[in-house]
Amino acid sequence: MSSPFIAILGTGAHSPAKVLTNHDLARLVDTTDEWIVTRTGIRERHIAGKNETTSQMAAAAARAALADAGVSAEQVDLIILATLTPDQPMPATACLVQHLLGVPARAACFDLNAACSGFLYALDTAWAMLGSGRYKHALVIGAEKMSSLVDWTDRSTCVLFGDGAGAAVLGPARGTAQILGARLYAEGAHAHLLCVPRGPKPVIQMKGREIFKNAVREMEDATREILEQHGLTAAQISCVIPHQANLRIIESLGQYLGLPPERFVVNLDRHGNTSAASIPLALDEARRSGRVRAGDTTLLVAFGAGLTYGSALVRW
Ligand code: UT7
């Protein structure tokens, strides 16, 4: 069912000041800048300081998105924060963000964990809640402190991840901009391929090659299905904002869809994989650099632990 009158009114992003380069990592583990760039496309990532929290990064991105949208904190009545790195198990980090922003008590605030697909899960949930007419302005945020879950002795994973936050304000459409559709999926049978098992010091464990293969197939399926649902061809998509995990995954997706590399927004060279923050960070950069123009149709497409995956179509 579509909710045709809801749009993304503004976006914002925040990255911690500290930058960790591949050369820095080569001093920590047995790796090289050349290996990381060739196998992933990543050159550097932002890393939060010890006292820098997911809620602080989320609030900074949300403030920027509210300013961009021209919506005040008082007008927000829904906050959905996609994260797998909450400040604490409870309360929900969304409530801490609410407090930091001064969003009124009548707002509903909750966290959502769909790993790297989290922003799309949050977007679709907010779209449905706003479409019901019971909420008017939503903050949809993806924020992660992945550095807190990384095993800094495991070269096969520690080179991949980064910290940051991105946010979007959803509200009543102005003009022709609107969210056209979203489609979410999950394959729990593959949960073991990428997980953080419980333990004294929980860290990310990943079967990289299997994840890689699933990622390309799932993003292709999610793209084809949503395009078909909306009677669109890939050629009609002016810009694709994919989850930023690995440049080779994005290039393979482009080849399968028959889309040239310049159609894809890529910022993983500077951010690495920021999980739920990855799509909103790239979306904000794309909008601010003029890659998303009024009337354009943009495809957002993600995959992640779960395995979850999904797609969304947004008209500007
Ligand atoms: O949001 C979802 C998150 N996850 C992903 O998207 C991950 C998807 N997978 C990938 O991006 C890739 O599988 C990786 C980048 C993780 C790994 O690339 P790969 O081409 O699949 O390499 P591999 O795991 O098959 O490893 C190839 C070799 C191995 O050495 P041997 O066994 O061939 O001697 C690894 O030990 O590369 C070695 N290796 C490294 N070498 C230098 C693994 N990590 C590193 C490293 N530096 N950082």
Side-chain angles (χ1 to χ4, degrees), residues 29-32 35-36 39-40 116 155-157 159-161 194 206-209 211-212 215 243 245-246 248-249 273 275 303-305:
V29 287
D30 181 16
T31 191
T32 59
W35 190 96
I36 304 171
R39 305 311 294 166
T40 73
C116 301
R155 69 174 183 174
S156 69
T157 53
V159 302
L160 303 176
F161 296 96
L194 178 52
M206 181 175 75
K207 301 256 185 264
R209 281 199 182 176
I211 291 285
F212 191 111
H243 173 48
N246 185 320
R248 290 186 296 135
I249 293 178
N273 179 350
S275 185
F303 72 94

Side-chain angles (χ1 to χ4, degrees), residues 76-100:
V76 172
D77 51 9
L78 174 64
I79 300 178
I80 308 181
L81 174 61
T83 188
L84 63 94
T85 51
D87 287 8
Q88 305 158 346
M90 72 172 184
T93 303
C95 298
L96 307 178
V97 173
Q98 174 198 23
H99 180 60
L100 288 171

Side-chain angles (χ1 to χ4, degrees), residues 12-305:
H14 174 80
S15 295
K18 186 182 168 193
V19 171
L20 187 71
T21 66
N22 292 348
H23 297 289
D24 296 331
L25 277 166
R27 285 190 283 271
L28 285 180
V29 287
D30 181 16
T31 191
T32 59
D33 173 60
E34 202 258 333
W35 190 96
I36 304 171
V37 172
T38 319
R39 305 311 294 166
T40 73
I42 300 167
R43 293 180 185 276
E44 58 187 38
R45 66 290 287 144
H46 293 258
I47 300 291
K50 203 163 156 249
N51 299 318
E52 212 168 354
T53 60
T54 296
S55 59
Q56 289 166 358
M57 292 188 282
R63 275 191 204 100
L66 288 170
D68 184 42
V71 170
S72 70
E74 292 73 39
Q75 289 175 281
V76 172
D77 51 9
L78 174 64
I79 300 178
I80 308 181
L81 174 61
T83 188
L84 63 94
T85 51
D87 287 8
Q88 305 158 346
M90 72 172 184
T93 303
C95 298
L96 307 178
V97 173
Q98 174 198 23
H99 180 60
L100 288 171
L101 296 175
V103 167
R106 60 177 162 68
C109 302
F110 61 95
D111 292 357
L112 179 157
N113 180 351
C116 301
S117 310
F119 184 77
L120 293 190
Y121 268 70
L123 184 81
D124 194 18
T125 306
W127 182 40
M129 290 176 76
L130 265 55
S132 76
R134 295 171 55 217
Y135 300 86
K136 196 155 181 204
H137 290 104
L139 266 171
V140 177
I141 311 169
E144 301 282 15
K145 188 171 175 174
M146 295 303 287
S147 57
S148 65
L149 287 181
V150 164
D151 176 352
W152 290 103
T153 65
D154 176 6
R155 69 174 183 174
S156 69
T157 53
C158 77
V159 302
L160 303 176
F161 296 96
D163 300 334
V169 176
L170 269 57
R174 306 163 181 160
T176 54
Q178 60 175 277
I179 298 170
L180 297 176
R183 186 77 181 85
L184 306 176
Y185 309 78
E187 282 179 14
H190 298 310
H192 61 285
L193 294 180
L194 178 52
C195 54
V196 179
R198 281 202 185 276
K201 167 75 180 97
V203 288
I204 297 167
Q205 290 183 9
M206 181 175 75
K207 301 256 185 264
R209 281 199 182 176
E210 285 88 336
I211 291 285
F212 191 111
K213 280 184 256 165
N214 278 288
V216 177
R217 178 182 54 77
E218 289 164 350
M219 290 206 291
E220 187 194 356
D221 288 353
T223 299
R224 289 199 188 283
E225 193 164 320
I226 202 162
L227 289 177
E228 197 180 312
Q229 260 177 15
H230 292 270
L232 293 170
T233 62
Q236 289 172 286
I237 302 299
S238 51
C239 149
V240 182
I241 301 179
H243 173 48
Q244 308 282 315
N246 185 320
L247 184 59
R248 290 186 296 135
I249 293 178
I250 296 173
E251 286 171 349
S252 300
L253 179 66
Q255 280 159 16
Y256 283 113
L257 294 173
L259 285 177
E262 54 277 13
R263 206 68 70 85
F264 290 79
V265 173
V266 174
N267 70 0
L268 57 77
D269 50 323
R270 287 169 288 116
H271 293 280
N273 179 350
T274 56
S275 185
S278 129
I279 286 188
L281 264 169
L283 174 62
D284 185 60
E285 284 190 17
R287 287 187 66 243
R288 286 175 201 268
S289 66
R291 284 197 65 183
V292 173
R293 293 169 305 268
D296 280 0
T297 303
T298 300
L299 170 78
L300 315 181
V301 60
F303 72 94

